[in-house]
Structures are given as C-alpha cells and as structure tokens.
Amino acid sequence: MAAVQVSHLPELIVSRETWDDFKALEALVVTWSSKINLVSKQSVADLSTRHIADSAQLWPLLQSFQSIADFGSGGGFPGLVLAICAKYQRPEMAITLVESDRRKCVFLQTAARELALNVKVISQRIETLPPLDAPAITARALASCNQLFGYAAPHLLPTGSLYLLKGERADEEIAEARHHWQFSVKKHQSKTHPNAVILEVGDLNRV
C-alpha cells in the first residue's frame, strides 16, 4: 500500500486507500451540505484541515480499542473519519454513531454504505439510549464537559475513557465539571490548532 501524509498532521501517515476515502467523505459532505447543515458554511471550503485532519488526530489514541461510540456525530466528525481509519487498520473495530437529527442520520448511513464502513448509526437522543457499555466515547463540538460527562456516564465502562476535542475554554470547562464530577484528565495538544486540546477523561464518577 502506498502511504500518504495527512494534511497538517505530519506524524500521521495513512494508506492511499484511506486517503482516497477521506477525499470521498469530503465530497459527500460538500454535496449534502447544500441540503442540510452538516458543517458551517465557512468551513466547507476547508474540510481537510478543519474537520478531517482534526478528527484523524484522534486515531493514534483510539486504535487499540475494540469498539468506540461517537456522540453527536453530525457530519461524521470524528466518527466517520475514525471508521475510515479503522477500515484498513482495524476492520474488526465496531463504531457506533449516535445522532438525534434524522436527516443527519440519513447522511451518516449513506456515507457508511458508500464507503463500506463498519458503523452502526443510532438515530436517538443520548439521554434515551440503553447503556452502550463503551470502552471509549468521543465527542466534538457537542456540549460542555459537564454536560458531556452526564451524557457519557451511563454508557461508559468503569475502565473506559472519554476523548473530547476542545478549544480554548477547555480549562474553564474542566473547572466547572469538577463541581459535579470526580475524574482524571490528560491533555493532548491539538495538532491542528494551537489553542485546542484533546481531553482524555477517565475514572468518571458523579460527586
């Protein structure tokens, strides 16, 4: 397999097949965004960096898991991007995408089918789901840490971790969440934005 360096992620090398699927996903998002609001209009022209590379940087942290749940999957970021990575490196990995907007779920299902991805799409509000028993949960641009912990707690295995893509208010959100939750947190510097981080949260318990 030929290798390709992911734009703006020099340490992440993917196969040519993975790269081609990234580009196919990008084309699908552009097409569907003219009908439904998958991503902001401002970021449609910069999908490779703003959304695909930003999501792909999670893969090295998640590639050892047997399954992943992605909350608020929306336009497929990071869930579909991670599923593309898994397709060629960890095809047995099961990825569950949770999205309450039915139109976005139709997009997710269409993209998964066209790209032959091993994903399950659940069109339901997180609060109404039966426990998923997930070893890892991801979320991007969905809610504050405090809210996300509330969403995730019923679905996360006791030994599981959350992987949250956060911006410059990450420290404020962590401080707020500590009033309501006990947890460990490890910060990974974002590779795509100097003021962003990936929060790896574990040992989650309500105060």
Side-chain angles (χ1 to χ4, degrees):
M1 286 188 183
V4 180
Q5 179 183 305
V6 176
S7 301
H8 304 283
L9 286 177
E11 69 281 4
L12 184 58
I13 307 296
V14 300
S15 68
R16 169 59 65 181
E17 291 81 359
T18 299
W19 179 256
D20 288 345
D21 277 358
F22 283 166
K23 301 309 288 184
L25 174 61
E26 185 176 336
L28 283 167
V29 171
V30 169
T31 299
W32 280 70
S33 288
S34 65
K35 305 169 187 175
I36 62 175
N37 185 30
L38 292 177
V39 295
S40 69
K41 292 181 180 179
Q42 295 86 346
S43 65
V44 168
D46 194 21
L47 283 171
S48 291
T49 305
R50 288 283 297 277
H51 297 288
I52 292 178
D54 193 46
S55 299
Q57 68 177 320
L58 284 171
W59 178 245
L61 299 173
L62 295 165
Q63 59 187 339
S64 64
F65 288 100
Q66 294 299 312
S67 62
I68 299 168
D70 181 47
F71 285 175
S73 297
F77 308 109
L80 288 180
V81 173
L82 296 172
I84 289 171
C85 293
K87 177 179 174 180
Y88 299 102
Q89 297 183 47
R90 291 290 309 283
E92 74 281 6
M93 181 187 286
I95 299 179
T96 300
L97 310 182
V98 181
E99 172 57 52
S100 61
D101 187 315
R102 292 189 180 277
R103 297 176 305 162
K104 291 179 180 179
C105 283
V106 172
F107 164 76
L108 294 169
Q109 291 164 337
T110 301
R113 182 176 63 253
E114 293 193 11
L115 298 173
L117 303 178
N118 181 24
V119 303
K120 176 183 180 182
V121 179
I122 299 177
S123 179
Q124 198 169 329
R125 293 188 64 82
I126 299 167
E127 305 94 313
T128 65
L129 282 176
L132 295 176
D133 295 328
I137 293 174
T138 59
R140 179 178 183 265
L142 178 60
S144 69
C145 283
N146 185 47
Q147 290 173 295
L148 285 169
F149 293 175
Y151 292 153
H155 302 288
L156 195 65
L157 287 174
T159 56
S161 297
L162 292 169
Y163 294 84
L164 309 176
L165 290 153
K166 286 291 177 182
E168 56 190 17
R169 292 192 64 249
D171 287 338
E172 293 176 41
E173 292 190 21
I174 291 170
E176 178 198 6
R178 290 207 183 277
H179 294 297
H180 309 280
W181 301 90
Q182 292 179 335
F183 56 93
S184 62
V185 61
K186 182 178 181 181
K187 295 180 185 177
H188 303 273
Q189 177 60 49
S190 170
K191 302 297 193 299
T192 60
H193 196 288
N195 296 325
V197 293
I198 299 167
L199 300 182
E200 180 179 347
V201 179
D203 306 311
L204 184 63
N205 289 286
R206 195 178 289 275
V207 172

